[in-house]
């Protein structure tokens, strides 16, 4: 795998320049190995340090999972509209991953010896487009990436409804074209070219997309969901089917080279941060209190209490873990309120016995260091460069099946069975992929008995999607999309927490991000057509098509 990763890096660092030349200069080489282009696109998904900044700045704040570091609070927490920050997914994916996938698909489309790589490219291109349209709404898709191929330099903005309908058609066709006896897919960092698993991925994504449009077009959603369940390739059957992008261990740095190096999980790098004094992984009170108050056995696998004063700028290894002491002393824990800075208000502190003992042998530990704040931070397990990049998991599929059963769609199990399977799988996901301690069967049973589906359909919908919200902490794009689609958990605006005076972009939590401002010049007609469908204004308070909750 390391050699393949190196190849992907080489392509990722030059693909933008290559594709620019390909679009403008026919004398340049007109072919790259499509497997290498697949590798590049997969790695960029979570490996692009510039792109994933959008998750730290906006997504985690809007879903109220993180809050308190400057980036998260200043942009998402304060509802600050910054065009450069809002445009990161658009301006990163379209000219790089999306263009690579489109080019590779085009060159393999008519080759009978490339049916598998073409199908895999198609599935991944659909997934990448879902990341774009779920953030912005209407966007170029059917004509995107066709500058050199078909001289389409100003692609139309397809409606989100058209985009989603295309997803279903393309996934259905790609799944049918995949053949275990066909060509090898060598550039795949998710399944290593396992065609049977790619079939499951195509069908499982169809479940996600069907549920996404279930309030906007219920008949189409049910039809597509049930059709995906009946597809020959099947859906995810256990955690071994999880679609996870593999990254490798790379030392964290914030030099220019780090922005071009897609081999590591850049989202983990951002969550670690480059300033230990302003650690970006402060947990928001909404997430921490929900887990702690419900007796969730994952609470202290995800949240820990650290002294970071001795932590270096390149590794979390020197953090001093004070969690058990805080629990044993029954000290009040103070996660950051939505919209608050980590120091506003500063949480109640305590004098640490652990720090006192360490001070006897370490003169750098001062009195101030011994007096510790009590804000929960993201555990070290999630701050590693080789953490996986999450596309979709078996746990999510179970939550989708639970909600389908709740809606009365044709599934084989009950909503209770799928819900419990989803919670169990979500707990195991942390053990299998992040080295967290395994939740015992007794603790699992106690948790689901105390946190079941309730007595009404709405209570069941809330329970299912609240658990999906916790699961999706490591998949921020899906987390924000599912919160908007389902309406759960119900999130209050920072204004309701007393931070209204800090808000600069309106009181309500935004429901999309605005288009890059240069689109009004570069693709004026498509941009204006899209705005006309939103009432003429590029507002982040205008919901996307499927968001009708």
């Amino acid at each position: 795998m390391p050699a393949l990763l190196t190849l992907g890096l080489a392509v990722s660092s030059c693909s933008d320049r290559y594709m620019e030349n390909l679009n403008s200069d026919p004398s340049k080489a007109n072919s790259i190995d499509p497997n290498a282009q697949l590798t590049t696109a997969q790695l960029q998904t979570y490996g692009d340090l510039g792109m994933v900044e959008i998750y730290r700045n906006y997504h985690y704040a809007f879903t109220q999972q993180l809050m308190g570091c400057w980036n998260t609070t200043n942009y998402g927490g304060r509802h600050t509209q910054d065009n450069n920050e809002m445009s990161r997914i658009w301006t990163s994916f379209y000219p790089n991953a999306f263009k690579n996938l489109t080019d590779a698909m085009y060159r393999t489309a008519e080759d009978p010896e490339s049916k598998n790589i073409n199908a895999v490219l198609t599935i991944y291109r659909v997934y990448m487009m879902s990341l774009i349209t779920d953030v912005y709404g209407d966007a170029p898709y059917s004509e995107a990436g066709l500058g050199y191929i078909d001289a389409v330099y100003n692609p139309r903005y397809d409606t989100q409804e058209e985009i989603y309908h295309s997803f279903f058609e393309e996934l259905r066709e790609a799944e049918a074209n995949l053949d275990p006896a066909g060509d090898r897919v060598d550039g795949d960092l998710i399944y290593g070219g396992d065609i049977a698993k790619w079939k499951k991925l195509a069908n499982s994504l169809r479940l996600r997309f069907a549920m996404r449009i279930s309030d906007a077009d219920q008949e189409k959603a049910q039809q597509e969901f049930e059709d995906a369940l009946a597809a020959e390739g099947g859906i995810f059957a256990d955690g071994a089917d999880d679609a996870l992008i593999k990254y490798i261990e790379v030392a964290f740095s914030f030099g220019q080279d780090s922005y071009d190096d897609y081999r590591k999980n850049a989202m983990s790098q951002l969550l670690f941060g480059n300033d230990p004094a302003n650690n970006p992984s402060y947990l928001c009170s909404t997430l921490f209190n929900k887990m702690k108050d419900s007796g969730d056995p994952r609470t202290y696998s995800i949240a820990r209490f650290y002294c970071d004063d001795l932590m270096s700028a390149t590794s979390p290894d020197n953090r001093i873990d004070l969690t058990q002491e805080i629990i044993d002393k029954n000290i009040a824990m103070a996660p950051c309120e939505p919209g608050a800075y980590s120091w506003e208000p500063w949480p109640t502190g305590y004098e640490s016995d652990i720090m006192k003992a360490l001070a006897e042998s370490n003169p750098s530990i001062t009195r101030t260091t011994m007096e510790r704040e009590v804000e929960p931070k993201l555990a070290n397990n999630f701050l590693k460069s080789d953490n996986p990049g999450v596309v979709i998991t078996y746990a999510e599929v179970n939550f989708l099946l639970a909600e389908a059963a709740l809606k009365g769609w044709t599934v084989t199990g009950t909503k209770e069975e799928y819900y419990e399977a989803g919670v169990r799988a979500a707990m195991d996901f942390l053990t299998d992929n992040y080295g967290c301690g395994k939740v015992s069967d007794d603790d699992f049973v106690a948790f689901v008995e105390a946190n079941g589906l309730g007595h009404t359909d709405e209570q069941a919908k809330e329970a299912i999607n609240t658990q999906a919200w916790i699961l999706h902490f490591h998949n921020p794009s899906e987390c924000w999309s599912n919160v908007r689609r389902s309406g759960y958990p119900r999130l209050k605006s920072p204004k309701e927490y007393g931070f209204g005076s800090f808000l600069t972009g309106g009181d309500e939590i935004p429901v999309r991000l605005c288009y890059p401002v240069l689109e009004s010049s570069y693709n004026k007609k498509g941009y204006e057509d899209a705005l006309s469908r939103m009432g003429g204004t590029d507002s982040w308070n205008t919901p996307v098509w499927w968001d009708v909750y």
Side-chain angles (χ1 to χ4, degrees):
M1 185 176 73
L4 186 58
L5 286 165
T6 302
L7 173 61
L9 173 62
V11 176
S12 71
S13 63
C14 70
S15 62
D16 199 10
R17 293 189 295 274
Y18 170 81
M19 295 307 299
E20 180 180 3
N21 291 333
L22 184 62
N23 277 346
S24 59
D25 189 351
S27 70
K28 301 295 183 182
N30 61 0
S31 179
I32 302 178
D33 182 354
N35 279 280
Q37 290 175 285
L38 173 66
T39 303
T40 301
Q42 290 179 342
L43 285 172
Q44 190 188 4
T45 309
Y46 286 93
D48 185 338
L49 185 57
M51 190 287 297
V52 296
E53 186 75 73
I54 200 170
Y55 296 145
R56 180 171 71 168
N57 290 352
Y58 286 113
H59 288 58
Y60 277 120
F62 293 162
T63 58
Q64 295 181 8
Q65 294 180 320
L66 297 179
M67 197 68 71
C69 86
W70 189 89
N71 300 72
T72 309
T73 301
N74 182 66
Y75 293 110
R78 294 183 64 198
H79 298 176
T80 300
Q81 295 191 42
D82 184 296
N83 192 264
N84 287 332
E85 300 302 325
M86 289 189 292
S87 66
R88 287 180 181 273
I89 286 179
W90 187 289
T91 57
S92 295
F93 282 165
Y94 269 130
N96 293 297
F98 199 84
K99 187 174 286 187
N100 268 292
L101 293 168
T102 302
D103 174 71
M105 284 173 56
Y106 176 81
R107 291 186 295 103
T108 57
E110 304 301 325
D111 181 2
E113 301 300 317
S114 300
K115 291 183 68 174
N116 281 339
I117 184 60
N118 182 266
V120 168
L121 290 162
T122 300
I123 294 166
Y124 208 75
R125 183 175 181 268
V126 165
Y127 166 67
M128 295 293 284
M129 186 62 207
S130 74
L131 301 179
I132 297 172
T133 187
D134 287 347
V135 169
Y136 302 102
D138 296 358
Y141 183 49
S142 60
E143 296 179 351
L146 299 179
Y148 177 69
I149 296 169
D150 283 335
V152 179
Y153 302 113
N154 295 291
R156 70 183 291 265
Y157 279 52
D158 299 299
T159 69
Q160 190 173 68
E161 182 176 10
E162 292 171 332
I163 292 169
Y164 264 80
H165 284 203
S166 294
F167 287 171
F168 297 124
E169 294 174 11
E170 292 176 60
L171 290 174
R172 183 184 302 108
E173 181 176 349
E175 191 270 340
N177 286 340
L178 286 166
D179 181 3
D183 55 294
R184 291 183 56 188
V185 178
D186 296 323
D188 173 25
L189 300 180
I190 297 177
Y191 294 129
D194 188 326
I195 298 304
K197 289 188 182 295
W198 274 95
K199 282 178 168 285
K200 291 182 180 181
L201 174 57
N203 294 328
S204 297
L205 285 173
R206 287 171 66 189
L207 300 184
R208 172 191 281 178
F209 298 147
M211 190 60 68
R212 184 88 85 241
I213 70 168
S214 60
D215 290 323
D217 189 343
Q218 182 173 348
E219 183 177 351
K220 176 70 171 176
Q222 181 175 356
Q223 171 197 335
E224 293 293 345
F225 197 98
E226 294 175 355
D227 188 59
L229 288 178
E232 182 179 356
I235 60 171
F236 288 180
D238 54 39
D241 291 328
D242 289 350
L244 307 175
I245 305 162
K246 298 176 179 64
Y247 293 95
I248 65 173
E249 187 173 349
V250 176
F252 286 155
S253 74
F254 286 84
Q256 185 55 48
D257 289 348
S258 189
Y259 286 84
D260 297 329
D261 187 345
Y262 292 174
R263 296 173 301 165
K264 84 293 183 193
N265 187 319
M267 192 174 79
S268 295
Q269 179 174 352
L270 279 182
L271 293 176
F272 166 65
N274 60 341
D275 179 8
N278 182 32
N279 191 279
S281 58
Y282 293 121
L283 293 184
C284 180
S285 58
T286 309
L287 175 65
F288 179 78
N289 289 339
K290 178 62 181 176
M291 297 188 72
K292 179 175 178 291
D293 294 345
S294 65
D296 195 317
R298 294 167 290 183
T299 302
Y300 298 111
S301 290
I302 293 175
R304 306 297 293 179
F305 295 81
Y306 295 110
C307 169
D308 286 341
D309 295 7
L310 306 181
M311 186 172 70
S312 74
T314 59
S315 169
D317 292 342
N318 291 333
R319 296 178 116 181
I320 300 171
D321 194 332
L322 307 176
T323 309
Q324 196 58 51
E325 179 182 73
I326 289 173
I327 294 172
D328 292 344
K329 286 177 174 285
N330 197 30
I331 294 169
M333 303 168 188
C336 195
E337 294 284 7
Y341 287 92
S342 59
W343 57 86
E344 194 171 21
W346 190 257
T348 303
Y350 78 105
E351 191 166 86
S352 168
D353 295 337
I354 293 174
M355 299 307 299
K356 284 181 186 178
L358 289 173
E360 294 179 2
S361 59
N362 190 336
S364 64
I365 296 177
T366 65
R367 179 76 185 179
T368 301
T369 304
M370 287 187 281
E371 294 175 350
R372 302 313 310 155
E373 70 272 18
V374 286
E375 285 184 319
K377 300 175 183 178
L378 190 60
N380 284 350
N381 305 57
F382 309 105
L383 307 181
K384 299 178 180 179
S385 69
D386 58 352
N387 284 339
V390 182
V391 176
I392 184 172
T393 64
Y394 170 66
E396 179 186 341
V397 167
N398 275 285
F399 291 137
L400 294 170
L401 289 164
E403 191 164 353
L406 179 65
K407 291 177 178 295
W409 296 355
T410 302
V411 295
T412 57
T414 67
K415 60 182 183 293
E416 291 83 5
E417 291 170 337
Y418 290 128
Y419 172 73
E420 292 184 13
V423 174
R424 177 75 261 185
M427 292 177 175
D428 291 342
F429 176 75
L430 299 183
T431 303
D432 295 341
N433 297 286
Y434 298 93
C436 297
K438 186 173 180 62
V439 175
S440 70
D441 290 342
D442 288 345
D443 286 346
F444 163 70
V445 170
F447 177 75
V448 294
E449 286 181 350
N451 299 274
L453 293 179
H455 304 290
T456 68
D457 286 353
E458 202 62 28
Q459 288 174 335
K461 183 180 179 183
E462 178 178 11
I464 293 165
N465 287 289
T466 297
Q467 288 303 309
W469 170 66
I470 296 170
L471 166 71
H472 292 321
F473 181 91
H474 311 285
N475 191 351
S477 179
E478 183 58 28
C479 189
W480 188 33
S481 293
N482 198 62
V483 167
R484 288 178 287 157
R485 190 275 307 174
S486 69
Y488 290 111
R490 295 195 185 280
L491 302 176
K492 297 188 295 184
S493 166
K495 181 180 180 179
E496 297 179 73
Y497 288 90
F499 295 98
S501 62
F502 292 98
L503 301 181
T504 63
D507 293 342
E508 299 304 315
I509 300 172
V511 290
R512 62 179 288 273
L513 294 180
C514 301
Y515 296 122
V517 68
L518 290 177
E519 281 293 290
S520 62
S521 301
Y522 291 162
N523 194 354
K524 184 177 178 61
K525 184 180 187 308
Y527 173 81
E528 291 182 346
D529 286 347
L531 261 57
S532 70
R533 296 190 286 266
M534 295 192 295
T537 304
D538 188 8
S539 169
W540 69 357
N541 297 122
T542 300
V544 299
W545 167 72
W546 49 252
D547 182 7
V548 297
Y549 179 78

